[in-house]
Amino acid sequence: MSPRHSLANGHPYLAIPGPSVVPDRIQRAMHRTAPNIYEGELHALTTSLWPDLRALAGTTQNVAGYICNGHGLWEAADSNLFSPGDKVLLLASGVFGLGWANALTAVGVEVEVMDFGRSAAPDMARFEARLRADMGEIKAVLTTHVDTASSARTDIAALRVAMNRAGHPALLGVDCIASMGCDVFHMDDWGVDVAFTASQKGLMTPPGMGFVWFSEKAREVGRKAGLRTPYWDWTPRADGPEFWQYWHGTAPTHHLYGLREALTMILHEEGLTQVWARHDVLARTVWAAFDAWGQGVGAGQGGRIALNMADPAARARAVTAARLGAPDAQRLRQWCETMAGVTLGIGLGMATEDDPHATGFLRVAHMGHVNAHMTLGVLAVMEAGMKALGIVHGPGALEAATAVIAQATSPGAART
Ligand SMILES: *Cc1c(COP(=O)(O)O)cnc(C)c1O
């Protein structure tokens, strides 16, 4: 039951960076009796997914499906690429890259982490210098496209350029779990060898299914991977030809119906370019509001409100991490949920739990099934909450946010 005075009754909005909002259409597509897995429509439906998944990632190469979440995808990629003792260079700009590093270390891969902190994307000059100094040890360069905790975005195209300039033959592997279907991504054009995403973020489908895309080069290099096991082996999952081999057992039946609907919405109705453009505008709408809230509010006045990523070029289009000062971020999140029906994301890994600053961070997700009224609604609710709770904030946030929407949608706006 909502507390007294609450205005939360109505359609709730889960604005956390995964699981994201599942569209009604996708829920309806999944609400059905179990299909036959041995023949019939499920086979045809699954066959239709593979070309769309390639188009989503911008590749003509291989894609393998798994019944797992994001943590499982790390192991899927690792087990097909590496042997114990192999060395990789991992570029971290938040929390999730470090999580991937831990998964690698646990199975005996030697990980050199280049840690760019929690508020900066990987620095290409430092990266290139490290590659040039390598004595042929680094087998793969791994990174997150978007770190969901810091909302840092790595410039993957620039990473490839740096690798080419250094003349380094390492594989390039990218965790696209937060970014796929939200931020621009071109696997083949950018020379990415391995990319993966899970169903519950930009793909708008419940958690429980993920995909690993891999280049022919990665297939070749990975043939001798000592960590590969029959279950995680991506070869039959990509090639079949038996239907059961695509999933190494029972298919994720209902998720497949949901994903069919999601890919139709993304690729065949709205169009991937427009999906990216929508995420770009909505992200900039959120940034504009935070910039205004942070104006003229000093650290002594309840903590300065600021985006975690100061550099706009290094910001994700799927999620925005921000600081409000402790304990205001936590108070605001609780108010938004109980009083207004909006659930914001917690700050993740920005401070240890016993750190007094730990309650000073939050995240606003804008990934997947999100539109202008949802984003403006979140921002207006947040501002109402700041007023209700007496959280000091600069003026003009909603004017700034609506101006971004207006500019992007006015008849004269440039078409992307
Ligand atoms: C969400 C996420 C993960 C972890 O996914 P789970 O499904 O929670 O295991 C890993 N990497 C990134 C970049 C993510 O956004």
Side-chain angles (χ1 to χ4, degrees):
M1 215 167 59
S2 303
R4 226 161 93 81
H5 309 307
S6 171
L7 302 172
N9 289 295
H11 206 303
Y13 178 14
L14 187 64
I16 66 174
S20 65
V21 173
V22 180
D24 294 347
R25 277 175 67 175
I26 291 180
Q27 294 182 43
R28 281 196 296 273
M30 296 179 74
H31 188 88
R32 47 162 302 130
T33 55
N36 185 356
I37 60 168
Y38 296 108
E39 59 188 8
E41 71 171 53
L42 190 69
H43 289 210
L45 180 143
T46 305
T47 305
S48 80
L49 294 173
W50 258 241
D52 281 357
L53 286 165
R54 286 193 190 90
L56 178 74
T59 183
T60 57
Q61 303 183 75
N62 311 287
V63 56
Y66 292 88
I67 296 181
C68 67
N69 62 16
H71 284 70
L73 293 167
W74 285 336
E75 296 199 13
D78 301 346
S79 66
N80 281 286
L81 291 171
F82 305 123
S83 301
D86 279 351
K87 173 155 183 171
V88 302
L89 180 64
L90 191 140
L91 311 187
S93 52
V95 168
F96 286 87
L98 300 177
W100 191 3
N102 288 341
L104 284 155
T105 306
V107 292
V109 175
E110 190 192 329
V111 187
E112 178 180 326
V113 175
M114 283 187 91
D115 194 341
F116 296 90
R118 298 194 175 105
S119 298
D123 176 331
M124 293 306 147
R126 263 182 67 195
F127 166 61
E128 189 177 329
R130 174 63 191 94
L131 277 189
R132 286 184 188 280
D134 180 45
M135 309 296 280
E137 289 179 343
I138 297 169
K139 185 169 182 183
V141 171
L142 309 176
T143 194
T144 50
H145 188 199
V146 162
D147 187 291
T148 325
S150 65
S151 65
R153 182 173 55 95
T154 306
D155 187 340
I156 303 298
L159 212 65
R160 167 48 72 191
V161 169
M163 291 172 75
N164 290 349
R165 267 208 305 256
H168 201 289
L171 293 169
L172 174 56
V174 185
D175 174 342
C176 295
I177 297 173
S179 58
M180 188 68 77
C182 306
D183 257 295
V184 175
F185 185 76
H186 300 285
M187 174 166 164
D188 288 357
D189 288 355
W190 293 353
V192 173
D193 293 298
V194 176
F196 46 83
T197 200
S199 50
Q200 78 271 21
K201 299 193 183 181
L203 289 178
M204 312 180 288
T205 304
M209 182 173 58
F211 297 93
V212 180
W213 292 263
F214 57 100
S215 67
E216 285 303 315
K217 180 180 169 188
R219 187 198 280 266
E220 236 3 86
V221 171
R223 268 189 216 290
K224 294 178 278 281
L227 290 173
R228 181 184 279 129
T229 59
Y231 184 78
W232 292 105
D233 188 357
W234 61 22
T235 321
R237 289 173 181 271
D239 299 346
E242 302 284 334
F243 184 74
W244 73 271
Q245 293 179 295
Y246 288 101
W247 303 101
H248 203 80
T250 305
T253 49
H254 291 68
H255 276 70
L256 294 174
Y257 286 91
L259 183 68
R260 178 61 273 159
E261 198 72 8
L263 291 173
T264 297
M265 291 168 75
I266 292 169
L267 296 166
H268 305 302
E269 294 181 4
E270 188 175 2
L272 187 54
T273 308
Q274 177 54 32
V275 169
W276 288 335
R278 171 168 53 84
H279 280 85
D280 177 59
V281 172
L282 296 178
R284 288 190 288 109
T285 303
V286 173
W287 306 342
F290 273 97
D291 285 344
W293 285 327
Q295 285 296 316
V297 184
Q301 299 167 280
R304 196 177 187 287
I305 300 174
L307 293 171
N308 184 51
M309 298 302 300
D311 177 6
R315 290 178 193 159
R317 301 304 194 281
V319 57
T320 296
R323 69 190 76 227
L324 266 78
D328 286 344
Q330 180 173 300
R331 291 172 69 220
L332 184 61
R333 273 197 307 103
Q334 286 165 351
W335 185 94
C336 287
E337 185 161 64
T338 56
M339 292 298 175
V342 174
T343 304
L344 300 172
I346 58 168
L348 201 62
M350 304 306 284
T352 54
E353 249 170 61
D354 50 358
D355 184 328
H357 299 296
T359 53
F361 300 90
L362 57 72
R363 291 173 299 162
V364 182
H366 29 90
M367 57 170 58
H369 198 55
V370 191
N371 62 21
H373 81 69
M374 294 161 84
T375 298
L376 289 175
V378 165
L379 298 172
V381 158
M382 289 175 71
E383 177 146 321
M386 290 183 205
K387 287 180 173 148
L389 298 173
I391 296 172
V392 180
H393 58 282
L398 299 180
E399 287 81 349
T402 50
V404 174
I405 300 279
Q407 196 275 332
T409 54
S410 70
R415 289 267 149 241
T416 44

